[in-house]
Amino acid sequence: MDEATKDPSLTKLFFRQVQSANRWPLMDLLKFQKREKIDVNENVNTYLKTWKLPDNEFTKAKKVALKHLLSHTGGLTVHGFLGYSPDLPVPTLVQVLDGTPPANSPPIRVDKAPRNRFSLSGGGYTIMQQMLIDIEGKPFPSILKEKVLEPLGMNNSTYEQPLQGEQLKMAATGYLPDGNDDQRQAPHLPRDGRRRFVDDGGRPGQICPSISNKP
């Protein structure tokens, strides 16, 4: 039962997904790879237009590629994000990438040589989000709806934030440790932005090919 709405029907509520939300943008990128629209071994700055990942001493020998973002081996900073409560301004995606106000996270930068070791980075998936936006020229929620969710028949899932209308009414209430409602928003959508019904179905394995991580 949802404590706030007293709705006992858990399958009719939108629940936020965090880490498992990462897989859905990956499916769209793999479709691009299959059509040779992108090269997973190519420097991500080749595809980024609105913002560029700054080069530094760690990228002299090897540039960060899409395969590094997806496998958390890009040597990138920012493990995760706190989100933004409704009473606070929400930064743009570029502000999150650069760690500039009102973003509450540090800038996403390379602080280790790419491909050397695994280091979980929500920052890397945020770069991937900007990359998809620049390739498609559309808002991120629209891309995922058109390219992934609708083809899988997942009509009760969304990356839209904040939720509006009927979707907002159906959103399950999250809670913070102090007992207050958790209504935080997340501009870094691949990691924290997806909501879905429990019984909405859709499995990445249905259409998701493999990705090569060869040097």
Side-chain angles (χ1 to χ4, degrees):
M1 175 181 289
D2 185 279
E3 182 66 23
T5 65
K6 306 304 180 184
D7 188 340
S9 180
L10 295 181
T11 60
K12 298 303 180 184
L13 292 176
F14 273 117
F15 286 86
R16 176 176 290 168
Q17 289 189 297
V18 184
Q19 291 294 355
S20 62
N22 289 347
R23 71 187 69 171
W24 306 98
L26 166 60
M27 294 167 64
D28 193 25
L29 288 166
L30 291 175
K31 288 181 180 180
F32 285 149
Q33 180 198 20
K34 193 172 182 179
R35 299 199 304 266
E36 298 184 354
K37 195 171 182 178
I38 61 170
D39 181 351
V40 297
N41 299 294
E42 182 63 56
N43 183 351
V44 293
N45 280 336
T46 301
Y47 304 105
L48 289 164
K49 307 301 180 187
T50 306
W51 174 89
K52 299 287 186 180
L53 178 63
D55 282 320
N56 58 27
E57 66 270 27
F58 298 107
T59 61
K60 287 181 179 178
K62 183 178 288 293
K63 303 298 183 183
V64 176
L66 175 58
K67 65 182 181 182
H68 300 133
L69 302 183
L70 299 176
S71 60
H72 297 280
T73 57
L76 291 157
T77 60
V78 186
H79 170 86
F81 303 93
L82 295 174
Y84 301 86
S85 61
D87 60 323
L88 294 176
V90 178
T92 65
L93 190 59
V94 170
Q95 287 173 327
V96 172
L97 290 165
D98 280 331
T100 56
N104 58 14
S105 52
I108 299 170
R109 298 291 187 264
V110 182
D111 68 349
K112 303 177 190 69
R115 196 174 165 267
N116 273 7
R117 66 189 180 109
F118 175 90
S119 180
L120 187 66
S121 173
Y125 271 72
T126 305
I127 294 173
M128 180 185 69
Q129 178 183 350
Q130 186 63 63
M131 180 176 161
L132 267 174
I133 292 170
D134 288 341
I135 291 173
E136 289 277 26
K138 299 177 182 178
F140 187 78
S142 299
I143 298 170
L144 269 291
K145 179 180 180 180
E146 176 186 338
K147 302 292 186 180
V148 178
L149 299 178
E150 285 185 345
L152 284 174
M154 300 185 70
N155 300 315
N156 291 314
S157 292
T158 183
Y159 277 86
E160 294 289 350
Q161 289 198 37
L163 295 177
Q164 304 289 338
E166 289 301 312
Q167 289 184 336
L168 180 59
K169 293 179 183 178
M170 293 186 292
T173 306
Y175 295 93
L176 298 170
D178 61 8
N180 290 323
D181 293 1
D182 183 2
Q183 300 178 6
R184 290 174 294 175
Q185 297 182 51
H188 23 77
L189 297 177
R191 186 183 184 278
D192 300 312
R194 180 170 171 253
R195 288 183 183 269
R196 61 167 290 191
F197 280 180
V198 171
D199 60 353
D200 200 27
R203 297 177 180 176
Q206 293 173 337
I207 60 173
C208 187
S210 61
I211 187 168
S212 172
N213 194 31
K214 295 179 181 180

